[in-house]
Amino acid sequence: MLQVKNLNFGYKFRPILRGVGFELKPGELLHITGPNGCGKTTLMSILAGLIRETGGTITYVHEGQACKDRRSYIEYLPAEANGLYGKMDAMDNLRFWMSLRGHPTQDQTIVDELKMWSLDHPLIRKNFPVEKFSTGMKRRLSLARVHLSNTPVWLLDEPLYGLDIKGIEQFQAILREHLDRGGSAAVVSHDTAPLQPFNPTEYRIEKREVKG
């Protein structure tokens, strides 16, 4: 469970987030909404540990115990940067990310994951740099990375960006699997329809605070 209490963030004369507080429970989908520039991406970056909050606390609780480093339990998908290395091919990208997680992954597992995302053609998965992928292909590969991470908390900022209908359906499939096995996810998305089958908890950021 991810616990956020009285979270604040801002720059010298510009407060951005004030008094944010919620709990993200196992099996729960949290949908974060709000107008452009209200702080949604900033909040996600803080939760992921990329930006330090100026006040409040963020705690990941596992089996009743607070964990010192929540980042090992979280996988983050940024809104624009896909977290991919452009000079590497799809196979090497996923191998690299899994090794960073301390989970060296069998090549067949990676091939199966790429097949799930229609990225398994030999000319795509090997010796074809990701920098030549389309926007949708990069997003699918990034979601494959999230799926393979096996982390209990997913932070997904505009995960549907660039996806076609088939990609959206596959996203829904992995999200359902993740939630059903007790994982949780916080999602920022302007495309709300694909999230509705999951009955998400809605949080709206407005006037520099989160309202539930």
Side-chain angles (χ1 to χ4, degrees), residues 62-111:
H62 179 65
E63 296 181 349
Q65 299 293 323
C67 302
K68 291 183 178 180
D69 185 6
R70 69 178 184 274
R71 290 174 296 183
S72 61
Y73 296 89
I74 290 172
E75 191 68 21
Y76 176 45
L77 178 66
E80 296 180 1
N82 286 294
L84 303 173
Y85 288 86
K87 301 298 182 182
M88 291 183 180
D89 60 31
M91 290 284 293
D92 284 344
N93 261 280
L94 294 184
R95 283 195 199 102
F96 173 74
W97 278 105
M98 293 308 99
S99 66
L100 283 184
R101 278 288 178 194
H103 303 302
T105 305
Q106 296 289 332
D107 280 0
Q108 188 57 51
T109 301
I110 294 176
V111 171

Side-chain angles (χ1 to χ4, degrees), residues 45-58:
S45 297
I46 293 171
L47 296 177
L50 301 180
I51 301 176
R52 188 176 181 85
E53 63 274 14
T54 53
T57 61
I58 305 169

Side-chain angles (χ1 to χ4, degrees), residues 24 27-31 175 179 184-187 195 198-202:
L24 182 57
E28 182 180 14
L29 174 63
L30 177 72
H31 182 207
L175 182 58
L179 298 176
S184 57
V187 177
L195 302 179
F198 302 94
N199 192 28
T201 301
E202 300 283 347

Side-chain angles (χ1 to χ4, degrees), residues 1 12 21 24 57 59-60 62 91 94 97 104 108 115 118 139 149 189 194 203:
M1 178 169 60
K12 190 171 183 180
L24 182 57
T57 61
T59 307
Y60 181 74
H62 179 65
M91 290 284 293
L94 294 184
W97 278 105
Q108 188 57 51
K115 184 176 182 180
S118 301
R139 209 55 171 170
S149 70
S189 179
Y203 278 82

Side-chain angles (χ1 to χ4, degrees), residues 8 19 92 123 192:
N8 299 306
D92 284 344
L123 295 179
T192 61

